[in-house]
Amino acid sequence: MPKYKLLALDLDGTLLTDEKEISQNTKIWIRRAVQEGVTVIFATGRGWPRTERYWKELNLLDSPMVLLNGAELWKWPGELLKRHFIDPKDIRWLYHLAMSKEAGFWGYNIEGFVRKPNWTKEMFHQKWMKFGIRHENPIVAAELKEQIAMRPGLEVVSSSTNSMEISLRGITKESGTRDIVEFLGIEMEDVMAVGDSPNDLRLIRAAGLGVAMGNAVEEVKEAADRMTASNNQDGVAEAIQRYLFGYRQELPLIEETRLGEL
């Protein structure tokens, strides 16, 4: 019997390999978890347009999702649970800040994903859930993050040394997962969360079991309860085997037809 009722998975650097694919072994073990009654969700910084493919690939058509670092929550495909919007004044401020530093930027609004080259004046009148900034100089990127962190109303996390993701203050993967947990009628202690980046940190700490990928940044490894292999070495499959089902050692790659024998 699974030890946790909900499995929250980050995408990039966790569920996905460096080639942005899901390994066959990982697909098999996620399917096994679902068959055993576990709710499998994504807890990702990505939005719907860049997540839908994997939702369908894993056939998670009845699963809630935490997207945009918690700014957009879905009960299941086609049924929105909640959205959190950044104040338009803060969007304008972020835009001018990024432009002043000649930084790249992007964002997610209700219509979808928008990059810097496609930004127009009309964008200031859109409802934005997430804004991202990237600068090739990590020192400048750190300075930008520090400035944004001091802005009331904004939450900022690093997705790499050069990039940051901004949402409404208090909105994170943790807050989003808490909303999903409440929707499902379970507790955070029933959650097993797997991740690799700073934007996974709060969720890793808050979950009943936090698992760090082998390729995770050091602060995530230090915060996690357990470790697994890297994203290119079936780390999610190993985590499901060892920590969700309690197998003492990693099992070899299995054929889908053998799932019922395990």
Side-chain angles (χ1 to χ4, degrees):
M1 177 178 289
K3 296 183 178 182
Y4 300 91
K5 297 177 182 178
L6 187 145
L7 175 60
L9 300 172
D10 169 51
L11 288 183
D12 296 284
T14 299
L15 178 63
L16 305 182
T17 66
D18 289 349
E19 287 73 39
K20 307 303 179 185
E21 301 294 337
I22 305 172
S23 75
Q24 185 62 25
N25 206 21
T26 297
K27 290 179 186 178
I28 289 171
W29 280 100
I30 287 176
R31 192 169 293 116
R32 168 80 186 278
V34 171
Q35 289 174 350
E36 293 292 330
V38 177
T39 300
V40 178
I41 73 170
F42 298 155
T44 177
R46 291 187 181 215
W48 180 280
R50 300 179 64 234
T51 305
E52 185 179 12
R53 165 195 167 187
Y54 303 111
W55 205 334
K56 292 180 177 178
E57 188 174 340
L58 293 172
N59 199 33
L60 299 177
L61 302 182
D62 297 321
S63 291
M65 292 291 159
V66 176
L67 306 183
L68 301 178
N69 290 335
E72 186 174 68
L73 310 178
W74 293 84
K75 296 179 181 180
W76 46 76
E79 185 70 26
L80 183 70
L81 178 62
K82 192 179 296 187
R83 280 174 172 150
H84 300 276
F85 297 107
I86 301 172
D87 190 297
K89 293 179 181 179
D90 288 325
I91 290 294
R92 188 175 291 273
W93 180 81
L94 288 168
Y95 167 83
H96 287 296
L97 179 65
M99 291 295 287
S100 70
K101 298 294 185 179
E102 298 183 344
F105 62 87
W106 65 95
Y108 278 94
N109 59 30
I110 295 176
E111 304 300 323
F113 183 61
V114 179
R115 296 182 184 274
K116 180 178 180 179
N118 303 118
W119 192 276
T120 65
K121 291 180 179 180
E122 286 70 30
M123 298 297 176
F124 293 115
H125 303 291
Q126 298 281 348
K127 291 184 175 181
W128 296 90
M129 293 169 283
K130 176 182 168 182
F131 196 90
I133 297 178
R134 177 180 176 82
H135 201 287
E136 293 304 319
N137 186 328
I139 296 176
V140 176
E143 292 173 351
L144 283 167
K145 183 184 176 184
E146 185 176 349
Q147 279 186 267
I148 297 166
M150 295 174 64
R151 177 89 172 179
L154 294 179
E155 190 79 38
V156 57
V157 292
S158 297
S159 49
S160 72
T161 55
N162 296 89
S163 298
M164 65 211 73
E165 301 171 353
I166 304 107
S167 56
L168 185 68
R169 176 74 74 177
I171 300 305
T172 65
K173 291 184 181 183
E174 178 197 351
S175 70
T177 302
R178 286 188 184 276
D179 283 340
I180 295 298
V181 160
E182 181 179 356
F183 168 68
L184 295 174
I186 60 177
E187 305 292 335
M188 283 300 289
E189 65 185 25
D190 298 318
V191 176
M192 173 174 146
V194 189
D196 72 303
S197 298
N199 62 355
D200 299 309
L201 197 55
R202 291 188 183 182
L203 178 55
I204 291 286
R205 287 173 174 156
L209 187 77
V211 181
M213 299 295 291
N215 54 288
V217 297
E218 200 59 37
E219 60 181 330
V220 172
K221 291 180 179 179
E222 291 174 358
D225 302 299
R226 298 288 187 272
M227 288 273 297
T228 188
S230 76
N231 63 316
N232 291 322
Q233 299 173 313
D234 286 339
V236 168
E238 179 183 319
I240 293 172
Q241 292 170 29
R242 295 178 64 183
Y243 308 127
L244 191 62
F245 288 110
Y247 294 116
R248 294 188 177 182
Q249 60 185 23
E250 184 182 0
L251 300 179
L253 178 67
I254 59 174
E255 296 293 336
E256 191 169 1
T257 54
R258 289 186 53 219
L259 278 175
E261 303 172 13
L262 296 173

